[in-house]
């Protein structure tokens, strides 16, 4: 906290310092422009790129369906790359069908058995039918998170539109599975087994609200984690430049740079963890719908 | 960790805010792109396309293929294990048979030994009996001969004694003794002795 505040002050100094002497100011601007060129920012702009710029959706091929704008964007491009990579690894690696797997085939088998085990443990044998879907969800989210870690890449899982659409699809699908399996008996999910009848007026609304909030928590958790992680990475990268550019005093840049390295490792972990949480919660919700607690 | 992230986010947000405020020219750009509703349809549309493609590839091609590879391996391992256990069973059987044969052979050897021993004992006993009988016959014969010799000697002894006694009497007393009387006396004396 203290460090963050100190860094913020230094960053503020770096951004807002306006020397009184005009010649010195000219020199300062030249200096900043050079730094921005180094940092890859647009030289013509006089302001540092916002940490939120990385989330901007940029249309590549403008398209529209009726009044809807369905342009092929950087987000769609990353989704396509993710799908191509997943399919490429999984289909290509097992093409030789080796009895003793190679490196890539091991990865594919490991992923398969990881998700198959997750479905088996959390849903049981009835979950076998939904294994391809759960596997697709996990691999798509994981690949989205990991691709976002590439410098300059776009993270499609950092957008609430994407995570909420996925969570809502899962939620609606699971609710339909529960309804077709159990009919009206499905609604017993909203009343904990063995609770006193008198508690129903309190318990049922709580359970209904908690059930309805599932897609929100599922999508916001993923979107917020990815967004926050990337903002923090961007800010610390900014600190490296602003602190490191203080004349005669380049050392302070090393501190945020070290932090940046640690945060990058943390973000890789978060990328995997959030994909795992998103998937296992889907499994748990599916189990609720199939087995009703 | 989550608290640290929250604090970092808070500081990040304030930095963003200050930067955004500094960017007066780009004011219309401010705000998170995530909440730009005009970008929602294209994201959801392409998400649907990408995910459906991914799901179809996964469920129709990739996962069945990986599953088949894993199953083939599991089967192979299973059959190998089966074969190994069959071979082990076979080896056990062979060993059991071997041990059984060994035991039988040993028992047979013991039987042969025992019967041989018995036969030998019987034979030696028979031979011993025959020898004993023979020896006993010889002993009996010898005893008989001894007894005959003894009785012959005894019979001669009476004659000798009578002759001796009559000669002694003739020499000492000068009396001629009737040989029959002398013989009687000798017999009596011998019988008394």
């Amino acid at each position: 906290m203290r460090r963050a505040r100190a860094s913020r002050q230094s960053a503020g100094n770096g951004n807002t310092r306006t020397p009184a002497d005009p010649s010195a100011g000219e020199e300062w601007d030249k200096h900043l422009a050079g730094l921005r060129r180094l940092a890859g920012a647009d030289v013509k702009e006089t302001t540092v790129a916002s940490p939120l710029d990385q989330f901007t959706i940029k249309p590549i091929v403008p398209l529209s369906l009726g009044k809807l704008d369905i342009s092929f964007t950087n987000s769609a491009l990353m989704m396509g790359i993710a799908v191509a990579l997943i399919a490429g690894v999984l289909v290509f690696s097992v093409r030789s069908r080796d009895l003793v797997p190679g490196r890539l085939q091991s990865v594919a088998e490991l992923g398969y058995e990881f998700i198959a085990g997750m479905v088996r443990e959390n849903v049981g044998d009835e979950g076998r039918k939904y294994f391809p879907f759960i596997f697709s969800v996990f691999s798509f989210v994981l690949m989205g998170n990991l691709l976002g870690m590439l410098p300059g890449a776009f993270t499609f899982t950092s957008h609430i539109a994407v995570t909420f659409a996925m969570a809502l699809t899962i939620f609606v699908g699971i609710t339909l599975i529960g309804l077709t399996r159990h009919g009206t008996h499905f609604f017993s999910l909203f009343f904990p087994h063995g609770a006193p009848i008198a508690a129903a007026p309190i318990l049922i609304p709580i359970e209904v609200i908690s059930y309805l909030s599932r897609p929100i928590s599922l999508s916001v958790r993923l979107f917020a984690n990815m967004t926050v992680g990337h903002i923090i990475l961007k800010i610390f990268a900014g600190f490296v430049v602003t602190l490191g550019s203080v004349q005669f005093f380049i050392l302070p840049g090393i501190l945020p740079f070290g932090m940046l390295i640690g945060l990058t490792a943390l973000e890789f972990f978060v990328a995997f963890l959030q994909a795992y949480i998103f998937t296992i919660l889907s499994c748990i919700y599916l189990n609720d719908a199939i087995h009703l607690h | 960790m989550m608290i640290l992230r929250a604090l970092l986010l808070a500081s990040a947000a304030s930095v963003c805010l200050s930067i955004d405020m500094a960017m007066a020219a780009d004011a219309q750009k401010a705000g998170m792109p995530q909440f730009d509703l005009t970008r929602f349809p294209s994201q959801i549309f392409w998400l649907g396309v990408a995910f459906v493609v991914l799901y179809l590839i996964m469920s129709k091609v990739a996962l069945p293929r990986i599953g088949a590879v894993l199953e083939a391996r599991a089967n192979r391992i299973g059959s190998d294990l089966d074969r190994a256990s069959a071979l082990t069973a076979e080896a056990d059987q062979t060993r059991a048979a071997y041990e059984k044969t060994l035991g039988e052979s040993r028992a047979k050897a013991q039987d042969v030994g025992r019967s041989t021993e018995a036969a030998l004992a019987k034979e030696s006993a028979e031979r011993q009996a025959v020898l004993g009988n023979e020896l006993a016959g010889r002993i009996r014969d010898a005893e008989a001969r001894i007894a005959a010799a003894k009785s012959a000697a005894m019979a001669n002894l009476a004659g000798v004694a009578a002759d001796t006694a009559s000669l002694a009497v003739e020499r000492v007393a000068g009396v001629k003794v009737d040989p029959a009387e002398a013989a009687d006396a000798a017999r009596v004396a011998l019988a008394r002795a």
Side-chain angles (χ1 to χ4, degrees):
Chain A
M1 179 70 195
R2 195 184 302 150
R3 184 180 293 161
R5 195 186 292 147
S7 308
R8 194 201 313 155
Q9 281 167 356
S10 339
N13 289 343
N15 281 322
T16 57
R17 195 155 87 185
T18 42
D21 182 7
S23 66
E26 216 167 86
E27 195 181 309
W28 176 251
D29 280 348
K30 231 168 34 187
H31 183 62
L32 266 185
L35 275 169
R36 287 199 189 101
R37 204 179 296 117
L38 273 177
D42 193 351
V43 183
K44 276 175 275 179
E45 276 193 4
T46 49
T47 49
V48 175
S50 158
L52 294 175
D53 276 3
Q54 59 182 316
F55 303 114
T56 308
I57 292 188
K58 297 172 189 121
I60 297 170
V61 183
L63 289 171
S64 61
L65 192 75
K67 281 188 178 177
L68 282 179
D69 173 23
I70 53 158
S71 302
F72 187 83
T73 60
N74 50 352
S75 167
L77 177 68
M78 291 311 285
M79 287 176 190
I81 292 173
V83 169
L85 273 176
I86 298 163
V89 167
L90 293 188
V91 174
F92 180 75
S93 65
V94 292
R95 207 167 48 171
S96 59
R97 300 176 189 226
D98 287 337
L99 208 61
V100 178
R103 214 176 291 174
L104 215 55
Q105 193 180 333
S106 289
V107 171
E109 288 177 7
L110 219 64
Y112 183 98
E113 299 207 311
F114 179 64
I115 300 302
M118 190 196 281
V119 173
R120 203 183 312 116
E121 276 167 32
N122 290 292
V123 191
D125 266 352
E126 296 93 332
R128 204 179 289 267
K129 245 195 330 190
Y130 310 109
F131 167 65
F133 181 80
I134 299 285
F135 187 90
S136 305
V137 167
F138 176 75
S139 55
F140 191 66
V141 173
L142 180 66
M143 195 54 87
N145 293 352
L146 289 178
L147 282 179
M149 289 307 293
L150 290 174
F154 179 87
T155 321
F156 60 78
T157 46
S158 69
H159 273 256
I160 185 76
V162 171
T163 60
F164 190 72
M166 288 184 80
L168 195 67
T169 309
I170 291 167
F171 175 78
V172 170
I174 284 173
T175 306
L176 288 178
I177 289 166
L179 280 172
T180 50
R181 256 179 182 265
H182 302 289
T184 52
H185 190 61
F186 173 71
F187 296 108
S188 71
L189 194 66
F190 301 129
F191 188 68
H193 187 70
I197 297 293
I202 305 165
L203 280 180
I204 290 175
I206 290 174
E207 289 288 331
V208 169
I209 289 167
S210 86
Y211 188 79
L212 291 178
S213 62
R214 278 173 175 187
I216 299 166
S217 66
L218 195 60
S219 57
V220 169
R221 183 182 299 109
L222 178 59
F223 138 74
N225 268 286
M226 297 326 290
T227 303
V228 168
H230 282 79
I231 289 177
I232 290 173
L233 286 183
K234 172 72 189 180
I235 286 174
F236 272 83
F239 287 168
V240 175
V241 176
T242 50
L243 287 181
S245 68
V246 178
Q247 271 166 323
F248 316 116
F249 202 48
I250 200 151
L251 267 172
I254 291 170
L255 194 71
F257 189 68
M259 280 290 282
L260 191 62
I261 292 171
L263 286 171
T264 307
L266 178 72
E267 281 314 311
F268 273 105
F269 172 69
V270 168
F272 176 80
L273 186 73
Q274 289 305 322
Y276 175 74
I277 290 175
F278 193 91
T279 318
I280 201 161
L281 281 177
S282 304
C283 284
I284 289 168
Y285 297 161
L286 180 62
N287 183 51
D288 277 354
I290 290 176
H291 296 116
L292 298 180
H293 288 303
Chain B
M1 198 172 80
M2 285 303 140
I3 293 169
L4 180 70
R5 286 174 70 86
L7 289 175
L8 284 168
L9 179 64
S11 62
S14 57
V15 172
C16 295
L17 206 66
S18 61
I19 292 171
D20 282 349
M21 278 171 15
M23 294 190 299
D26 297 330
Q28 75 276 14
K29 269 196 192 169
M32 290 177 79
Q34 276 91 335
F35 300 119
D36 182 359
L37 288 174
T38 59
R39 294 296 179 206
F40 273 35
S42 82
Q43 286 190 72
I44 294 167
F45 174 79
W46 288 106
L47 168 71
V49 171
F51 194 81
V52 166
V53 169
L54 178 69
Y55 178 76
L56 288 177
I57 295 172
M58 290 299 107
S59 62
K60 301 288 179 222
V61 186
L63 295 179
R65 206 176 275 188
I66 298 173
V69 169
L70 290 176
E71 201 178 339
R73 184 174 313 137
N75 285 342
R76 174 72 182 273
I77 290 170
S79 74
D80 280 2
L81 282 178
D82 283 353
R83 216 175 57 198
S85 68
L87 287 174
T88 309
E90 203 178 304
D92 280 350
Q93 223 172 343
T94 311
R95 202 181 57 195
Y98 160 76
E99 270 170 7
K100 197 176 151 212
T101 314
L102 195 68
E104 276 171 0
S105 309
R106 205 172 278 154
K108 212 193 260 176
Q110 266 175 351
D111 272 359
V112 169
R114 216 173 290 131
S115 63
T116 312
E117 204 180 15
L120 284 175
K122 198 177 152 203
E123 202 183 325
S124 75
E126 274 171 4
R127 225 184 270 164
Q128 221 168 358
V130 168
L131 202 63
N133 284 345
E134 199 186 318
L135 287 174
R138 277 205 217 152
I139 288 167
R140 232 177 297 121
D141 284 356
E143 274 174 352
R145 255 184 282 133
I146 289 165
K150 197 176 159 188
S151 58
M154 285 307 254
N156 290 344
L157 195 60
V160 171
D163 286 350
T164 312
S166 53
L167 274 171
V169 167
E170 209 179 296
R171 186 85 54 85
V172 171
V175 179
K176 252 270 251 213
V177 182
D178 184 29
E181 212 175 332
D184 278 347
R187 211 173 295 130
V188 168
L190 275 172
R192 205 182 291 154

